[in-house]
Amino acid sequence: MTQDTIRVGVVGAGANTRDRHIPGLQAIEGVEIVSVCNRSQESGERVAERFGIGRVCTNWQDVVQAEDVDAVVIGTWPYMHRLLTVTALEADKHVMCEARMAMNASEAHCMYNALRSRPHLVAQIVPSPFSLRVDRTIQRLIRDGWLGDVLVVDIHAGGAFIDQDVEMHWRHNMDYSGLNVMTMGIWYEAMLRWVGEATSVVAKGKTFTPVRQDEQGRMMGVRIPDHIDIIADLASGGQAHIQVSNVTGFGDPPSATIYGSEGTLHFSGDVLTGGQRGDSGLSEIDVPAHEAGGWRVEEEFISAIRGHEVITHTDFATGVKYMEFTEAVHRSRRSGKTVNLPLL
């Protein structure tokens, strides 16, 4: 499929799909979005009208099984990701699946195994976008020894006051989001690019608003934390602390700091700063144009289908790693014990 038109079907047209995936795909020569299925026929029709999509389906199977669909974009909440991905792969379709990858590690492994049995197909998880611009520069500095030995990674994501009156969101609902917690998995995915994976985790979390009202006015229990702290040992020999919170009003903006034996790197708001032993403090580090990354998810997906590159942002193997980390955090939080990785 190097020259032919690639025909895409969309299942789930949420904000990211409408703002990024559909426009991004339609901007690529030789790509046509032929069908869409959303939560209701009416919402699907609105998306189809806005983007000039010819067919609105009321059953996702009609998208996935259609003979005129080569690739499926899955923009649903995580509770549908495994079913849709496996079904699409079994129907010989390429898959782009929205993050977070799955409800839990078992589902992620199921998705990965379905792909491994069909190596001619391309599958992608929409990547963590926070650090795309600076990732390669951070990787180079670590590789070249600028930091010395990597000792500690400290990630903080928060800065807002808790909103106890907001309606129950799918991210509050474990039935829809699974074990995913706020932006925890997204930050872990970014950390994987810099320093590699964790070998053990211990976590504590707190839900400060245990009941919220859903869109139908029903009171629903909330099982996902509003605040979580994680300590992890890293395979590289260092240690990581990750704090993700919806309750830290006036706290510092989201950031990641990597402390080494000879230097420190700090990333926040798309700006990379650093300093080495003997410097007076941190100063901005230039990100060369040839290293600066950016959002090219849709381009990478189509290019991989055409055989021009392989998926790097993000492949299913990486998705499995961040889902195993997500489940390990959940198990530790529930048991109060350290959980080793990879999971057995």
Side-chain angles (χ1 to χ4, degrees):
M1 194 182 294
T2 57
Q3 302 298 328
D4 295 341
T5 296
I6 297 173
R7 301 160 300 179
V8 179
V10 175
V11 181
N16 211 38
T17 302
R18 298 192 306 272
D19 295 343
R20 288 187 179 269
H21 306 326
I22 294 177
L25 289 166
Q26 289 183 327
I28 300 172
E29 184 176 355
V31 176
E32 179 185 2
I33 299 179
V34 298
S35 60
V36 61
C37 177
N38 211 16
R39 292 184 69 194
S40 68
Q41 182 173 347
E42 293 75 15
S43 63
E45 289 173 348
R46 288 195 296 271
V47 172
E49 181 178 3
R50 175 180 172 185
F51 293 103
I53 300 171
R55 186 166 72 244
V56 177
C57 300
T58 57
N59 187 325
W60 62 266
Q61 290 272 10
D62 294 335
V63 175
V64 172
Q65 302 293 348
E67 292 185 2
D68 66 346
V69 168
D70 305 306
V72 177
V73 171
I74 299 169
T76 66
W77 302 334
Y79 79 111
M80 290 288 292
H81 288 181
R82 180 196 60 80
L83 175 61
L84 285 164
T85 295
V86 172
T87 305
L89 292 171
E90 289 176 346
D92 209 39
K93 317 294 187 186
H94 306 285
V95 170
M96 177 201 291
C97 182
E98 188 62 74
R100 291 100 176 135
M101 182 176 184
M103 297 278 278
N104 52 45
S106 176
E107 289 195 354
H109 278 284
C110 182
M111 294 162 68
Y112 185 38
N113 289 337
L115 174 64
R116 292 174 68 188
S117 67
R118 297 162 182 84
H120 64 289
L121 293 176
V122 169
Q124 175 186 40
I125 302 296
V126 175
S128 166
F130 298 151
S131 60
L132 290 174
R133 190 181 82 87
V134 302
D135 282 334
R136 284 197 285 268
T137 299
I138 293 174
Q139 290 164 347
R140 171 177 55 83
L141 292 170
I142 292 175
R143 184 177 61 249
D144 291 350
W146 191 91
L147 281 173
D149 296 326
V150 173
L151 305 178
V152 174
V153 181
D154 193 19
I155 294 174
H156 290 263
F161 286 98
I162 190 170
D163 189 342
Q164 296 177 310
D165 299 320
V166 72
E167 193 174 82
M168 182 87 162
H169 191 274
W170 68 264
R171 289 188 179 90
H172 298 134
N173 191 335
M174 197 173 283
D175 294 337
Y176 292 139
S177 65
L179 305 182
N180 298 289
V181 177
M182 297 175 282
T183 58
M184 178 188 72
I186 297 174
W187 278 105
Y188 181 68
E189 182 189 338
M191 190 179 79
L192 280 171
R193 300 175 195 158
W194 310 328
V195 299
E197 59 210 76
T199 57
S200 69
V201 301
V202 60
K204 288 187 71 68
K206 188 77 171 180
T207 303
F208 294 99
T209 307
V211 178
R212 290 185 183 272
Q213 184 173 285
D214 72 5
E215 58 187 8
Q216 281 82 42
R218 298 171 300 186
M219 301 307 294
M220 304 286 291
V222 178
R223 293 175 285 163
I224 295 175
D226 295 308
H227 179 97
I228 196 161
D229 281 285
I230 305 154
I231 302 293
D233 286 327
L234 302 177
S236 61
Q239 182 172 293
H241 170 230
I242 302 174
Q243 181 187 93
V244 186
S245 182
N246 283 331
V247 306
T248 51
F250 294 137
D252 292 334
S255 68
T257 307
I258 308 173
Y259 298 98
S261 58
E262 300 299 324
T264 296
L265 289 172
H266 179 78
F267 166 70
S268 181
D270 213 33
V271 175
L272 180 65
T273 58
Q276 292 181 294
R277 186 190 297 270
D279 293 343
S280 60
L282 302 178
S283 58
E284 185 166 352
I285 292 177
D286 178 60
V287 177
H290 70 277
E291 287 183 345
W295 184 273
R296 57 180 304 270
V297 177
E298 300 79 21
E299 177 187 354
E300 183 177 299
F301 182 56
I302 297 302
S303 183
I305 292 173
R306 289 176 169 155
H308 299 161
E309 61 180 300
V310 298
I311 295 295
T312 60
H313 288 69
T314 292
D315 61 25
F316 271 27
T318 302
V320 167
K321 288 181 180 180
Y322 82 63
M323 285 309 308
E324 286 216 345
F325 179 83
T326 296
E327 179 146 335
V329 168
H330 173 76
R331 292 184 187 182
S332 177
R333 187 171 62 85
R334 294 288 297 273
S335 68
K337 299 178 180 178
T338 299
V339 176
N340 294 324
L341 289 164
L343 298 177
L344 298 179

